[in-house]
Amino acid sequence: MKLHEYQSKQVLERFGVPVPKGSVATDSESAKIAADELGGKVVVKAQVLMGGRGKAGGVKLFDSSQEASEFAGSLIGKRLVSIQNPAGMVVEKVLVAEQIDIAEEYYVAVLLDRDKQTNLVMISAQGGMEIEEVAHTNPDAIVKLNIDPAWGLDDFEVRKAVLKAKIPKPAQNQMVQMIKKLAKAYNETDAEMIEINPCALTPDGKLIAADAKVSIDDNALYKYKSLSETSADSADDVIEAEASRRGIAYVRLGGDIGIMGNGAGLVMCSIDEVSAAGGRPANFLDVGGGAQADRVKSCVELVLMDENVKGLMINIFGGITRGEEVAQGILSAFEQLDVKIPVVARIEGTGAKEGLALLSGTSIIPAATMKEAAEKVVALARG
Ligand code: GDP
Ligand code: MN
């Protein structure tokens, strides 16, 4: 899960990473108070989970709290669109932070290197808003240091990497310390990515994280109750937010054929089959392994929240998930919801016979194979 910049900075501060003072505001009044507290010379930054906010007009410097507050007011509620995110995201919060003087901008990140199967530190003296361009045209300007999983980082190798990245003398020691703190934060918070861009050097020679992006491994979120709440709140889509609250893996895809199955692979196959049959999948939904009837019901509800859905395909391969549990879940969802769309179910494996028996005589249409289910639901949704 990606954290907002202000949350990322709170996490990093606990590990001793220097960050500018600041606070979050949700309207122009609270932005005014925040800017006044910082003496008026501030930067106002849109808190949206996307890159390229600077170029998108979501980051601005001010000399007075009045102007800062007006800008915050105009930004909140607005959709910000960037090259990285053409669909854009609506700004709900801004960070009002102390404006720092920046002499130089560096880039530093800790992330997972899937090829080498280790964690990786990346350093560049050419940080700032053009880092993607640098990665493209001058990849050697980004120095990579793989972290040995058994030994961790040794001071000498960090120093060597910092020198190789041509970080200038006044910043070298601070950069070594910065990297060690980021690596520690990365390990101890179960992060999958930490990126500081720019890592700013001030004219008086202090290194400070002017921007921060932290992403936490979703499998560790149970350790962060307060964060998983914001995860649901920060989801851009209302149904995805509700799914996140219910602990259901759901992704909205924009089509009109609802899809649910057990297991991510089976759901992806179903999406392919629906596409092959000429339909447009409305969503990805994995009911998970061993789902009980009430969870299945909750999943059906979720898919039907999307008003574009004109047909529903249910694809179950019973293993630890039992066919009759799924059938009961579908039936109890049908009892409570006024389902007007065609629903096609393919149930195989454990409890298939019992499940299909429960569904016979209802409006739910059985299918013998995944392909047949996809073709039926697409044809019925059209009709
Ligand atoms: P991003 O575009 O989403 O990565 O947002 P950033 O937080 O990196 O901000 C974009 C750019 O705004 C940075 O590269 C800086 O050049 C500039 N910026 C951000 N905060 C400050 C600040 O406190 N002082 C100054 N002088 N520039 C800043
Ligand atoms: Mn940045």
Side-chain angles (χ1 to χ4, degrees), residues 7-70:
Q7 296 169 317
S8 302
K9 284 177 169 169
Q10 282 166 2
V11 167
L12 295 178
E13 209 172 12
R14 291 209 315 264
F15 290 87
V17 174
V19 299
K21 279 194 221 98
S23 56
V24 191
T26 51
D27 53 36
S28 57
E29 290 76 34
S30 54
K32 174 89 169 44
I33 296 167
D36 277 333
E37 260 172 30
L38 295 166
K41 196 178 170 232
V42 294
V43 54
V44 176
K45 312 179 79 176
Q47 296 301 286
V48 282
L49 297 170
M50 64 185 213
R53 294 166 305 163
K55 284 184 183 169
V59 177
K60 270 201 176 141
L61 309 179
F62 296 96
D63 288 325
S64 83
S65 60
Q66 187 54 39
E67 286 171 294
S69 127
E70 278 163 23

Side-chain angles (χ1 to χ4, degrees), residues 192-234:
E192 51 191 12
M193 201 241 351
I194 296 182
E195 185 187 79
I196 310 297
N197 187 36
C199 185
L201 184 68
T202 63
D204 57 355
K206 290 205 180 69
L207 199 65
I208 182 163
D211 185 16
K213 289 188 172 68
V214 172
S215 180
I216 307 279
D217 184 341
D218 284 348
N219 294 305
L221 283 183
Y222 70 94
K223 296 183 190 172
Y224 305 92
K225 258 240 146 66
S226 62
L227 286 182
S228 32
E229 278 156 21
T230 63
S231 143
D233 294 343
S234 62

Side-chain angles (χ1 to χ4, degrees), residues 151-281:
W151 292 104
L153 281 176
D154 270 320
D155 278 24
F156 77 90
E157 56 177 0
V158 178
R159 185 164 298 278
K160 218 166 94 179
V162 166
L163 294 179
K164 193 172 166 203
K166 303 201 172 70
I167 301 293
K169 188 114 191 54
Q172 283 167 4
N173 284 340
Q174 294 176 79
M175 186 56 105
V176 171
Q177 292 311 316
M178 175 77 77
I179 290 168
K180 286 172 68 182
K181 286 170 185 165
L182 294 179
K184 189 170 169 16
Y186 179 92
N187 276 333
E188 293 186 12
T189 63
D190 307 277
E192 51 191 12
M193 201 241 351
I194 296 182
E195 185 187 79
I196 310 297
N197 187 36
C199 185
L201 184 68
T202 63
D204 57 355
K206 290 205 180 69
L207 199 65
I208 182 163
D211 185 16
K213 289 188 172 68
V214 172
S215 180
I216 307 279
D217 184 341
D218 284 348
N219 294 305
L221 283 183
Y222 70 94
K223 296 183 190 172
Y224 305 92
K225 258 240 146 66
S226 62
L227 286 182
S228 32
E229 278 156 21
T230 63
S231 143
D233 294 343
S234 62
D236 202 32
D237 180 280
V238 282
I239 306 179
E240 288 184 4
E242 181 55 29
S244 168
R245 276 188 281 273
R246 295 183 184 197
I248 294 167
Y250 170 98
V251 181
R252 195 154 170 182
L253 299 173
D256 56 9
I257 307 291
I259 294 172
M260 53 182 274
N262 62 319
L266 194 65
V267 180
M268 286 195 271
C269 285
S270 311
I271 288 172
D272 285 349
E273 287 290 6
V274 165
S275 305
R280 290 187 311 126

Side-chain angles (χ1 to χ4, degrees), residues 255-317:
D256 56 9
I257 307 291
I259 294 172
M260 53 182 274
N262 62 319
L266 194 65
V267 180
M268 286 195 271
C269 285
S270 311
I271 288 172
D272 285 349
E273 287 290 6
V274 165
S275 305
R280 290 187 311 126
N283 65 276
F284 169 100
L285 189 155
D286 178 4
V287 301
Q292 302 289 306
D294 55 348
R295 183 173 171 88
V296 174
K297 179 178 153 238
S298 181
C299 290
V300 176
E301 276 170 11
L302 209 55
V303 174
L304 298 181
M305 276 178 202
D306 183 346
E307 285 166 3
N308 297 322
V309 168
K310 296 202 175 67
L312 169 60
M313 168 177 169
I314 298 173
N315 188 7
I316 301 295
F317 193 93

